[in-house]
């Protein structure tokens, strides 16, 4: 016997990159956690199934955050006027150092995971720290909440502060233990996480490449994050023509899951390689402004077939809310088109697509409410003025522009109500 | 007998443009609505006065919003991917047209004023619409709540859609009736509001100049808002060398209160004139991105002595929250310095100063908590993690970066608890 649930309300999700589907006063039927269909009336075959009515509220897909740093969560919304080097050396690296203390990690990761749930992020790709134990706690907490996640124990063995700099062999051994322990997880899975080329030796990266093959595990890293990083990567890896090639050469493309955060100044070769491996580039609007390195050319990369998701990039970004990054992605595209007029403005529909259907595709059939997709969904409301009711799509736009967790009236993960 | 109140808590306000004053676990004494002093212990002369204890929460000055459009409030967070012309013609002008209906105006202005109070904006300079009756309702609602305000019946007699285009004489007569009726207001006062040079005839502007003199009333307008506007102003007023000169020539500088919103591409002459008349320029970070026209060079204007406040500019801006514009002013300065490296990054302290002490100076002694200032104040909290308590200044920064009305635990206006 399958389990059927029926919800009535307005429904909005991305049909394609450019088009939002909008169903008014409709019924969404969920069978064993999967969307079965959307109907104007309850089909006869479901007569007798109780209907939960969300009135004028809007049912949307839950959000996917493709790049964040869970351990930096305690630092969100602080030191936002610092520039990158000061921000890392004085604040962020010392904070990451504190995750050698399991009690601190426990408290910080509990707060982080609760905030994800409150804000409807049910799929996340996140960095941990170099600390195997603390990062294990993070993966276990996410798994327990049922969040779909890729979580990385960070690798860094060069150009890093002493308290975060690993010995190469130990970094690889620790990573293998981490993979062994968690590769069988159901929802929160491990991912290889070389911090970025400037902090990783060639030996470390090739060692990780062997682990990628042995455990069939993907990779996340910061990719072409700034002009400095792109140049430094080429200087440190002179036999690679671009940042992305470093990871390809190391064997880190082979599982097919590759997540490159930022990707702001990609060369033609970066674009070709990322596209070839089917990897994701991640725009992190707030972060990219706060540690200002430039603005990703989202519209043109997307037109060239690069899959782009959105990331909160806490704590360079100040908030776990992926939906606020939707609004800010549109804003950044306007700034970019002002300064570099060959860049097109991203529409709200395109930005919402990045945060849901596109980002969700990294995790399987989620991020949409079309039949066959997991019912990972949020019910949003409390956004209209009584004297000027909003359409369902307008409700979603205002939510992304200025909503908060109080506007999320219900949360469903795999069809089950949570939060 | 004077009325004394004492509050205990942490206290943060702008001492100067670059420096925040931070008092931990201190006592602020308020006498007849005015700050009398801040003390480590309650002075003997106040023994027996009860102390309201705000614990680890932080007392800060209330915010001043120097540029917004109350009638556009119903449009906040919508159509944010439209560009300026479409946004005005298709959405914003038709919405302003609806303020010919008093019932609609009543509902919209009630919601707007409630949102100001909820978000701690106790001083506001706002546009109304061309409609005398509706704008009168707005001024009365603000007065009733005790909000310090300058409210303008908009004037536009050229280059405007028919339903918003006034006949010159009628525009002036209507404005004079508006001034007559409200010039005696205690807190919410009228201000002349020619929309901007492209929608105002010379005859209208000079007529307003006469009213400015007769009623000793100030002026707000959009000033050097975009390259297009600056050029168009010079084309339409060929005997003026810059946008700002138009208002000077028309006699609109004489009361000493002049508010120029945006001021993004000022010429040397614009800067000289605005500085000479002691006027305010208003940065509206979200709005300036949403209807992208460029980024105000805040750091260099401020260094040249221009008084700069912040504005929410609803509904080009998506939210009435001035505090969120503090964080965004820092962000915009980073983007500007990235693209135009001669521009300096604005610190959090500088942006907070713009939103409080500098913006507040337009209304008198408010925007600070130093002795002699009105106790127009907010108590903020609920922003720290238990495992990593924040300093008072950090609390304020996080509030501006990601706080909401729920983080405002108490509101004081002229020493009285409200909201």
């Amino acid at each position: 016997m399958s389990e059927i649930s029926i919800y009535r309300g307005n429904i909005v999700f991305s049909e394609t990159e450019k088009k939002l589907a909008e169903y008014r006063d409709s019924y969404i039927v969920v069978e064993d956690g999967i969307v079965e269909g959307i109907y104007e009336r309850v089909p006869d075959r479901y007569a007798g199934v109780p209907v939960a009515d969300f009135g004028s509220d809007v049912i949307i897909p839950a959000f996917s955050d493709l790049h964040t740093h869970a351990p930096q969560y305690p630092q969100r919304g602080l030191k936002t006027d610092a520039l990158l080097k000061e921000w890392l050396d004085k604040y962020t690296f010392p904070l990451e150092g504190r995750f050698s203390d399991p009690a601190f990690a426990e408290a910080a990761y509990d707060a982080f995971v609760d905030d994800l749930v409150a804000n409807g992020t049910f799929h996340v790709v996140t960095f941990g720290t170099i600390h195997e134990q603390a990062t294990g706690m993070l993966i276990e907490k996410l798994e327990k909440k049922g969040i779909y996640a890729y979580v990385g124990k960070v690798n860094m063995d060069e150009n890093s502060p002493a308290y975060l700099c690993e010995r190469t062999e130990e970094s690889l051994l620790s990573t293998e233990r981490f993979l062994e322990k968690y590769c069988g997880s159901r929802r929160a899975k491990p991912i290889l996480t070389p911090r970025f080329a400037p902090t990783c030796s060639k030996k470390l990266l090739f060692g990780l490449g062997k682990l990628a093959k042995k455990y069939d595990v993907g990779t996340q890293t910061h990719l072409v994050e700034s002009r400095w990083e792109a140049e430094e990567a080429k200087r440190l890896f002179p036999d690679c023509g671009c940042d992305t090639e470093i990871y390809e050469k190391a064997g880190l493309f082979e599982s097919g899951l590759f997540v490159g955060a930022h990707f702001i100044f990609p060369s033609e070769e970066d674009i070709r390689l990322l596209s070839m491996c089917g990897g994701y580039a991640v725009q992190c609007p707030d972060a990219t402004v706060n540690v200002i390195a430039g603005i990703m050319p989202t519209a043109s990369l997307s037109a060239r077939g690069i899959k782009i998701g959105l990331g909160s990039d806490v704590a360079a970004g100040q908030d776990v809310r992926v939906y606020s990054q939707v609004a800010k992605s549109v804003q950044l595209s306007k700034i970019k088109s002002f300064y570099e007029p060959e860049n097109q403005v991203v529409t709200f529909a395109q930005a919402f697509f990045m945060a849901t259907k596109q980002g969700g595709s990294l995790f399987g059939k989620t991020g949409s409410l079309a039949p066959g997709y997991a019912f990972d969904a949020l019910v949003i409301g409390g956004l209209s003025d009584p004297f000027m009711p909003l359409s369902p799509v307008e409700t979603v736009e205002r939510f992304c522009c200025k909503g908060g967790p109080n506007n999320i009236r219900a949360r469903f993960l795999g069809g089950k109500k949570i939060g």
Side-chain angles (χ1 to χ4, degrees), chain A:
Chain A
M1 262 303 269
S2 61
E3 196 182 321
I4 305 283
S5 306
I6 306 180
Y7 305 99
R8 189 189 152 283
N10 298 301
I11 301 160
V12 171
F13 58 89
S14 293
E15 205 167 288
T16 65
E17 186 193 345
K18 305 215 165 161
K19 184 158 178 261
L20 291 169
E22 181 185 62
Y23 296 85
R24 291 177 188 240
D25 294 333
S26 295
Y27 297 84
I28 185 162
V29 175
V30 178
E31 187 171 353
D32 293 333
I34 307 292
V35 177
E36 188 274 336
I38 296 173
Y39 305 96
E40 283 181 27
R41 261 170 286 187
V42 176
D44 289 346
R45 64 186 180 281
Y46 300 123
V49 177
V51 174
D53 190 344
F54 291 116
S56 62
D57 288 351
V58 184
I59 307 171
I60 60 173
F63 293 96
S64 292
D65 187 344
L66 296 202
H67 178 62
T68 197
H69 292 260
Q72 295 175 18
Y73 179 75
Q75 177 78 5
R76 68 202 180 282
L78 298 178
K79 315 300 176 198
T80 52
D81 54 7
L83 290 172
L84 184 58
K85 195 173 155 41
E86 180 194 9
W87 181 80
L88 277 174
D89 292 346
K90 248 175 97 176
Y91 307 112
T92 308
F93 283 151
L95 173 60
E96 288 199 14
R98 294 187 66 180
F99 284 77
S100 61
D101 170 7
F104 184 79
E106 175 98 43
Y109 285 150
D110 274 337
F112 170 76
V113 174
D114 285 348
D115 209 2
L116 286 192
V117 172
N119 284 289
T121 300
F122 296 165
H123 319 88
V124 63
V125 183
T126 180
F127 276 51
T129 57
I130 61 166
H131 311 96
E132 183 185 335
Q133 187 188 355
T135 310
M137 289 164 65
L138 173 59
I139 214 167
E140 287 170 24
K141 286 178 196 301
L142 288 163
E143 176 78 22
K144 197 169 161 197
K145 286 274 182 187
I147 305 275
Y148 292 85
Y150 289 98
V151 180
K153 187 214 97 60
V154 172
N155 303 99
M156 46 206 291
D157 70 341
E158 279 186 350
N159 303 315
S160 306
Y163 57 90
L164 285 181
C165 197
E166 304 172 290
R167 287 186 305 108
T168 311
E169 282 308 327
E170 178 48 30
S171 181
L172 290 168
L173 285 170
S174 168
T175 303
E176 184 154 13
R177 284 192 302 268
F178 185 77
L179 294 178
E180 282 284 357
K181 187 161 180 187
Y182 296 110
C183 65
S185 299
R186 207 170 46 93
R187 293 194 174 181
K189 298 169 189 288
I191 187 167
L192 296 171
T193 306
R195 188 169 204 117
F196 65 166
T199 64
C200 298
S201 68
K202 189 169 175 180
K203 188 172 165 198
L204 177 60
L205 289 175
F206 278 74
L208 292 175
K210 280 188 199 144
L211 293 177
K213 192 172 178 121
K214 181 168 173 189
Y215 293 90
D216 189 28
V217 63
T219 298
Q220 67 177 333
T221 193
H222 298 100
L223 199 65
V224 215
E225 182 181 9
S226 64
R227 289 208 179 95
W228 171 84
E229 194 259 325
E231 288 309 309
E232 190 68 3
K234 282 198 280 186
R235 190 180 70 79
L236 294 166
F237 297 85
D239 53 339
C240 293
C242 67
D243 199 9
T244 310
E245 193 180 339
I246 296 169
Y247 302 94
E248 186 214 14
K249 279 232 168 95
L252 289 164
F253 273 14
E254 290 177 26
S255 84
L257 173 63
F258 188 83
V259 185
H262 304 304
F263 209 61
I264 292 179
F265 296 107
S267 65
E268 279 304 308
E269 189 61 5
D270 284 299
I271 295 171
R272 194 187 67 78
L273 287 171
L274 188 64
S275 172
M276 186 193 77
C277 88
Y280 289 75
V282 191
Q283 188 191 32
C284 308
D286 265 323
T288 218
V289 173
N290 289 334
V291 300
I292 185 68
I295 300 173
M296 184 201 262
T298 38
S300 68
L301 287 176
S302 171
R304 298 183 63 178
I306 296 283
K307 291 184 281 190
I308 305 172
L310 292 184
S312 65
D313 195 10
V314 165
Q318 60 262 40
D319 210 302
V320 301
R321 303 176 185 184
V322 176
Y323 49 90
S324 76
Q325 300 308 299
V326 172
K328 285 168 179 172
S329 181
V330 175
Q331 288 192 318
L332 280 198
S333 75
K334 289 191 174 183
I335 294 173
K336 190 153 181 98
S337 78
F338 176 77
Y339 281 107
E340 305 172 53
E342 68 279 14
N343 287 272
Q344 284 195 328
V345 170
V346 166
T347 64
F348 174 73
Q350 286 174 299
F352 188 77
F353 171 81
M354 291 191 240
T356 55
K357 193 171 183 183
Q358 184 69 285
S361 69
L362 189 146
F363 300 89
K365 292 279 268 183
T366 187
S368 166
L369 297 175
Y373 278 80
F375 191 62
D376 298 337
L378 310 175
V379 181
I380 59 170
L383 292 142
S384 278
D385 296 313
F387 54 90
M388 197 163 140
L390 303 183
S391 73
V393 165
E394 286 175 329
T395 302
V396 180
E397 185 181 4
R398 184 173 284 170
F399 173 65
C400 291
C401 285
K402 60 184 299 302
N406 294 342
N407 297 113
I408 306 181
R409 270 75 182 299
R411 297 163 181 81
F412 294 91
L413 182 48
K416 299 217 179 323
K417 205 165 177 181
I418 65 157

